[in-house]
Amino acid sequence: MLWQAMIERRNPKAYHLASAIAAFGPPVVGDLIILTTDPDRDFRALACRSFGSTADERALPMLECLATHDLARTTLGGLVATAAKQRLRTAHRIRARTAST
């Protein structure tokens, strides 16, 4: 239901939905990987937001690729690359914190 609401843009704060989707962890990573190749730049940015919060190992290469190559501007004015860079830092912090415990 969260996924559908985000995709259909029924919620003006879809980035909150992206964070909630990340709470499901590894089971959603495959769908998020697919979303990073979507033609819609907003979906790619939302996938970055979710990926960073999952800190899943499979997310890191996708975030690195988007951070380097996806210079599309979202409808809110940010760059997909910037969203990817921010979430890449978040993912690294989460992974470092988990490794130290």
Side-chain angles (χ1 to χ4, degrees):
M1 181 135 99
L2 288 173
W3 187 269
Q4 195 64 31
M6 184 181 74
I7 298 297
E8 292 176 1
R9 299 176 199 229
R10 290 187 302 218
N11 188 314
K13 297 198 178 196
Y15 56 91
H16 291 300
L17 295 174
S19 294
I21 287 168
F24 291 98
V28 299
V29 171
D31 291 329
L32 291 172
I33 288 171
I34 292 168
L35 199 57
T36 63
T37 61
D38 194 283
D40 188 308
R41 58 191 179 251
D42 291 328
F43 287 156
R44 295 192 308 274
L46 288 170
C48 291
R49 184 171 183 89
S50 288
F51 264 151
S53 299
T54 65
D56 189 285
E57 187 175 293
R58 296 170 288 169
L60 301 179
M62 299 304 298
L63 287 170
E64 289 168 355
C65 181
L66 291 170
T68 304
H69 302 290
D70 198 334
L71 301 177
R73 193 164 293 281
T74 68
T75 56
L76 294 177
L79 296 177
V80 174
T82 302
K85 288 174 190 171
Q86 291 170 341
R87 294 311 172 185
L88 194 54
R89 285 191 297 270
T90 301
H92 285 303
R93 279 194 306 270
I94 292 170
R95 291 176 62 76
R97 193 173 32 221
T98 336
S100 68
T101 57

